[in-house]
């Protein structure tokens, strides 16, 4: 894992780095936020943090720029996650570096990110017009048009309600907003929830999701909080949650948590 003494660059004015600088990558331990949720032993979920990096570029042997979109799959059980601004600065530090082949770029990226998060990752480098990058919309019911009243309550399981009827359903909302815990700036996302268990009251679920508007936490931690709260209330047979955060600094982050042993995240949404 990267040196934990590396300075956190988020919220600071940092000039562009022209030389390859893997030391810019900054790990954030998952354990601290998980301890607040009571997750100190075996995790109740599987999943990945799916990143799309739209500013991956380097030079070929003739000094001609090559541009790709990177997709990084960082496992949820890695000891650390990577801080987003450090990720952006690191990727941009490759812009002036020459590589003999694209495989060399992939190997470099994989090694550096794995050293940062402390686990094996998967990655793909895609042409910018690759069909795999086409946006979509989630399957299921959008609950955004429900007529509800909102107060200043923070997100908590006390906001959620469920009946006794057992259902299997998928719902989503475009109204998720959370705040960066360092800068306080807002981050927007679509959140998708699929479960099998006691029926969540849609009004209470929407009220719960909107309660994140003033909640300061990293994207990955917000999704794990949602997972734990919903699981605590309804004890579902199956549950998966994915948040599709809109692009910032050439990156979008899509944390995905699931009770499935072999979960497969969705790719990206139109709004990203």
């Amino acid at each position: 894992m990267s040196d934990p003494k590396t300075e956190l660059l988020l919220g600071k004015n940092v000039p562009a780095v022209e030389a390859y600088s893997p030391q810019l990558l900054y790990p954030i331990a998952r354990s601290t936020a998980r301890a607040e949720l009571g997750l100190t032993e075996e995790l109740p979920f599987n999943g990945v943090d799916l990143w799309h990096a739209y500013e991956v570029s380097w030079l070929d042997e003739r000094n001609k720029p090559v541009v790709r979109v990177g997709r990084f799959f960082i496992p949820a059980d890695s000891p650390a996650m990577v801080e987003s601004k450090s990720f952006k600065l690191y990727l941009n530090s490759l812009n002036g570096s020459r590589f003999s082949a694209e495989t060399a770029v992939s190997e470099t990226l994989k090694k550096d990110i794995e050293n940062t998060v402390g686990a094996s990752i998967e990655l793909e480098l895609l042409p910018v017009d690759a069909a795999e990058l086409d946006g979509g919309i989630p399957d299921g019911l959008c609950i955004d048009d429900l007529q509800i009243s909102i107060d200043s309550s923070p997100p908590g399981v006390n906001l959620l309600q469920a009946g006794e009827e057992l259902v299997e359903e998928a719902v989503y909302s475009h109204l998720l907003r959370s705040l960066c815990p360092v800068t306080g700036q807002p981050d927007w996302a679509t959140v998708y929830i699929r479960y099998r268990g006691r029926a969540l009251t849609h009004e209470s679920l929407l009220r719960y999701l909107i309660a994140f508007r003033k909640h300061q936490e990293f994207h990955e931690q917000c999704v794990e909080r949602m997972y734990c709260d919903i699981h605590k209330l309804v004890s579902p047979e199956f549950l998966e949650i994915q948040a599709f955060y809109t692009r910032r600094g050439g990156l979008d982050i899509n944390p995905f948590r699931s009770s499935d042993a072999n979960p497969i995240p969705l790719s990206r949404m139109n709004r990203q």
Side-chain angles (χ1 to χ4, degrees):
M1 193 179 299
S2 296
D3 184 354
K5 297 179 182 179
T6 301
E7 185 181 7
L8 178 62
L9 301 176
L10 186 61
K12 297 182 179 181
N13 186 10
V14 182
V17 179
E18 299 296 333
Y20 166 60
S21 302
Q23 70 275 11
L24 289 171
L25 289 165
Y26 188 91
I28 297 175
R30 298 187 189 270
S31 57
T32 302
R34 286 177 174 172
E36 295 179 6
L37 297 174
L39 303 179
T40 57
E41 298 181 1
E42 185 176 357
L43 295 175
F45 47 69
N46 301 295
V48 298
D49 301 329
L50 169 59
W51 296 67
H52 292 100
Y54 300 93
E55 299 176 2
V56 178
S57 182
W58 65 93
L59 303 177
D60 67 14
E61 290 184 305
R62 296 171 295 176
N63 285 332
K64 181 182 177 183
V66 181
V67 177
R68 294 288 184 268
V69 175
R71 288 209 296 196
F72 297 81
F73 299 81
I74 300 175
D77 60 359
S78 62
M81 53 192 183
V82 60
E83 190 279 310
S84 60
K85 185 171 183 177
S86 77
F87 200 176
K88 170 187 171 63
L89 293 171
Y90 159 73
L91 291 173
N92 287 341
S93 81
L94 294 170
N95 294 171
S97 299
R98 198 183 320 181
F99 290 88
S100 59
E102 191 163 312
T103 54
V105 181
S106 295
E107 291 168 1
T108 298
L109 292 169
K110 190 172 190 296
K111 170 179 65 69
D112 291 341
I113 301 303
E114 288 181 344
N115 286 340
T116 302
V117 303
S120 296
I121 71 161
E122 297 181 14
L123 70 88
E124 302 169 352
L125 294 179
L126 301 172
V128 296
D129 56 358
E132 296 96 318
L133 297 172
D134 291 346
I137 57 174
D139 293 329
L141 174 69
C142 180
I143 59 175
D144 290 349
D145 289 337
L146 294 172
Q147 299 302 305
I148 60 172
S149 297
I150 301 298
D151 58 27
S152 59
S153 298
V157 67
N158 59 296
L159 295 181
L160 293 166
Q161 298 176 357
E164 296 302 319
E165 179 187 5
L166 298 180
V167 300
E168 181 170 356
E169 66 174 355
V171 298
Y172 65 94
S173 171
H174 299 300
L175 301 185
L176 177 63
R177 191 192 87 156
S178 57
L179 302 180
C180 172
V182 179
T183 66
Q185 294 300 306
D187 296 301
W188 286 90
T190 294
V191 61
Y192 171 79
I193 300 169
R194 188 163 70 94
Y195 72 100
R196 182 169 59 250
R198 291 172 54 209
L200 286 164
T201 303
H202 292 168
E203 289 81 0
S204 74
L205 178 58
L206 183 59
R207 189 175 294 110
Y208 169 80
L209 295 175
I210 292 174
F212 279 85
R213 286 180 66 84
K214 296 183 179 180
H215 181 74
Q216 291 188 271
E217 208 166 31
F218 290 113
H219 306 338
E220 300 91 333
Q221 297 164 352
C222 287
V223 171
E224 292 183 1
R225 183 175 296 277
M226 294 174 196
Y227 188 100
C228 290
D229 284 345
I230 292 174
H231 198 280
K232 181 177 181 179
L233 179 69
V234 303
S235 299
E237 297 177 15
F238 170 83
L239 173 63
E240 67 180 22
I241 302 176
Q242 187 168 358
F244 303 87
Y245 278 89
T246 56
R247 192 181 313 183
R248 174 180 286 188
L251 295 163
D252 68 47
I253 312 174
N254 308 270
F256 173 64
R257 302 294 182 266
S258 175
S259 59
D260 196 331
N262 298 292
I264 300 175
L266 301 174
S267 179
R268 57 182 300 274
M269 296 292 105
N270 287 337
R271 72 185 297 198
Q272 294 178 291

